[in-house]
Amino acid sequence: MLLLTVICCGNELVLQLADYRLIGSTRLRGLVYDYGAFWPGLLSDWTPNYTAQPTLMFLTYGLLHGGLAHLAVNMITLWSLGGPVVERVGARGFGLVYAGAQAGGGAVFALLAQPFPPMVGASGALFGLAGALLAWNYVDRFTRREGLWPVANATFWLVMLNLVLWWAMGGQLAWETHLGGFIAGWIMALLVDPRAQGRAEDAEDTP
C-alpha cells in the first residue's frame, strides 16, 4: 500500500509541476498518457508506441491519475479498504487481489467502453478491494447461516455511487473499469484466501 501510494503520488507530483511550467513541458501529461494510459484500441488494430504497451498498460494505467482530486480520493480509498484486505491475507495476498482487480478492470473497460477513450486511475483495483471484502463477508455469513442482507445492501450502494458519480461527471466515469475490478476482486478473494475457499466448500456440502 505504501509503495503504491508513493508511486501514484510521485507520478502526479511530476505531472502537476509540469502542468504549472515548473519543470519540463506542459505537454508532459499528454505524453505520459500516450504511453501509460489504458487505450482499448491497442488490443485491436492500433499501433502501439512501443512493443509491450498493449500488455504493460494493464499495469501503468492504475499508477496515473487525472489530477489532484482524482488522486486524493483514490489514495484515501486505498488506505480505507486496503487495511482490512492486508489484515486478512497479508501483503502478498493484497498484491494478488489488487493486481487481478486492476487487470480485470482494464479488460472489462476494453470490452464495454465505447468509443475508445484513454483511461487512467486506480479505481478499478479499489473496487476490486471492495469486491474482495464483500466476497469474504458473503462466504463467512453464508457459512454461519447469517443473513446476507448486509452484503446485498453494500453492493447496492456501490451501484448507486457509480450512478451518482456518472451523472455528476457528465458520463465521464469509467464505470466499466469499476465493474470489471469488482468482479475480478471478488473472484481473486476466493482464490487467494484459503479460509474463504474452505468455508465455501463446507457451505456447498451443507444439506
Side-chain angles (χ1 to χ4, degrees):
M1 288 167 56
L2 181 60
L3 178 60
L4 285 169
T5 303
V6 169
I7 294 174
C8 290
C9 290
N11 287 341
E12 185 58 32
L13 174 61
V14 171
L15 297 181
Q16 286 288 325
L17 292 174
D19 290 343
Y20 286 96
R21 302 182 180 181
L22 297 177
I23 62 170
S25 167
T26 56
R27 294 181 294 180
L28 180 61
R29 185 178 293 273
L31 181 63
V32 169
Y33 286 178
D34 284 345
Y35 281 80
F38 192 95
W39 298 88
L42 291 175
L43 299 177
S44 54
D45 57 352
W46 289 17
T47 301
N49 292 313
Y50 59 96
T51 303
Q53 187 177 7
T55 300
L56 289 182
M57 69 178 180
F58 281 89
L59 167 66
T60 57
Y61 87 86
L63 304 177
L64 301 172
H65 289 82
L68 290 177
H70 188 202
L71 173 70
V73 170
N74 278 354
M75 293 302 98
I76 291 171
T77 305
L78 170 63
W79 284 88
S80 298
L81 298 178
V85 174
V86 172
E87 183 178 350
R88 179 143 183 163
V89 295
R92 179 178 177 274
F94 168 87
L96 291 172
V97 171
Y98 194 93
Q102 183 165 299
V108 174
F109 180 79
L111 183 65
L112 299 181
Q114 294 292 338
F116 287 163
M119 183 266 292
V120 296
S123 56
L126 299 178
F127 268 84
L129 298 182
L133 293 172
L134 286 174
W136 290 322
N137 192 19
Y138 172 85
V139 170
D140 293 345
R141 296 184 70 86
F142 182 83
T143 303
R144 295 193 298 260
R145 299 180 182 274
E146 297 177 349
L148 300 178
W149 170 247
V151 178
N153 186 51
T155 304
F156 169 79
W157 285 111
L158 283 176
V159 173
M160 293 303 297
L161 174 64
N162 273 274
L163 289 174
V164 171
L165 290 175
W166 180 83
W167 173 80
M169 298 173 63
Q172 299 300 308
L173 177 74
W175 62 267
E176 303 92 344
T177 308
H178 298 173
L179 174 62
F182 181 87
I183 294 172
W186 185 293
I187 295 171
M188 289 298 299
L190 301 181
L191 294 176
V192 167
D193 186 353
R195 293 174 297 173
Q197 289 178 335
R199 289 168 184 155
E201 291 167 359
D202 291 343
E204 290 173 355
D205 290 336
T206 301

